[in-house]
């Protein structure tokens, strides 16, 4: 999976010959430059989209972001202004894994080997549809997560 912290971009993930992608509704000021938090979104949307198919399996999720790699494997993101939102995303990831009986392991992928996922987060939709015939557009989950955190306060 991959995410871009640039406006008009988004996130995406690949599973076999299928791919999902989404565009940010907005990148809130507290998440600008918060790459680790943004890079967790493709994982969460992947679990929501393919979770039933992954039930009872070990899922290895590739990421080119070391903070995401450590956050998934350790169960939390430390420090930084976006850690609260990132940890809430991790809670939702854990809940999805529990519901679908999925064992999850993050694997670090060097950026040079993550070009297809990188394209999902940056290329125009028309170009993505040519590269990935089985492409599905998904919603940005961050507004709902941020809303639930605001209500909890």
């Amino acid at each position: 999976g991959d995410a871009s912290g640039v406006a008009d971009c988004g996130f995406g993930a690949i599973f076999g010959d299928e791919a999902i992608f989404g565009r940010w509704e907005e990148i809130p000021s507290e998440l600008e430059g918060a790459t680790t938090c943004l890079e967790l979104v493709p994982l969460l949307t992947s679990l929501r989209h393919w979770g039933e198919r992954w039930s009872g399996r070990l899922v290895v999720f590739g990421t080119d972001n070391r903070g995401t790699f450590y956050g998934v494997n350790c169960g939390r993101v430390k420090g930084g202004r976006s850690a609260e939102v990132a940890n809430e995303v991790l809670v939702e990831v854990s809940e999805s894994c529990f519901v679908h009986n999925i064992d999850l392991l993050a694997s670090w992928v060097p950026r040079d080997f993550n070009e297809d996922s990188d394209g999902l987060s940056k290329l125009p939709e028309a170009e993505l549809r040519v590269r990935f015939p089985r492409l599905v557009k998904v919603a940005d989950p961050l507004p709902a997560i941020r809303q639930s955190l605001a209500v909890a306060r």
Side-chain angles (χ1 to χ4, degrees), residues 84-142:
E84 184 179 24
V85 177
N87 285 314
E88 187 62 28
V89 174
L90 280 173
V91 166
E92 294 204 21
V93 164
S94 294
E95 288 173 355
S96 290
C97 287
F98 178 78
V99 165
H100 296 296
N101 188 30
I102 295 169
D103 290 321
L104 180 65
L105 178 67
S107 173
W108 183 74
V109 178
R111 189 160 281 127
D112 293 345
F113 296 105
N114 203 34
E115 291 178 7
D116 284 339
S117 289
D118 190 55
L120 286 167
S121 68
K122 296 179 178 133
L123 295 174
E125 185 173 347
E127 189 173 336
L128 291 176
R129 294 211 175 273
V130 171
R131 285 175 95 175
F132 303 99
R134 298 183 65 194
L135 181 70
V136 174
K137 189 170 187 176
V138 296
D140 175 2
L142 285 179

Side-chain angles (χ1 to χ4, degrees), residues 30-84:
E30 74 266 19
L31 296 181
E32 287 177 5
T35 311
T36 296
C37 182
L38 298 177
E39 293 268 350
L40 288 167
V41 170
L43 172 57
L44 178 59
T45 54
S46 294
L47 286 164
R48 289 177 174 176
H49 188 76
W50 292 305
E52 286 184 24
R53 289 175 45 197
W54 294 344
S55 182
R57 297 177 186 245
L58 169 65
V59 172
V60 179
F61 185 81
T63 177
D64 64 4
N65 180 276
R66 288 187 189 267
T68 301
F69 166 77
Y70 291 118
V72 169
N73 291 334
C74 294
R76 73 179 197 276
V77 174
K78 293 168 48 174
R81 58 194 163 126
S82 64
E84 184 179 24

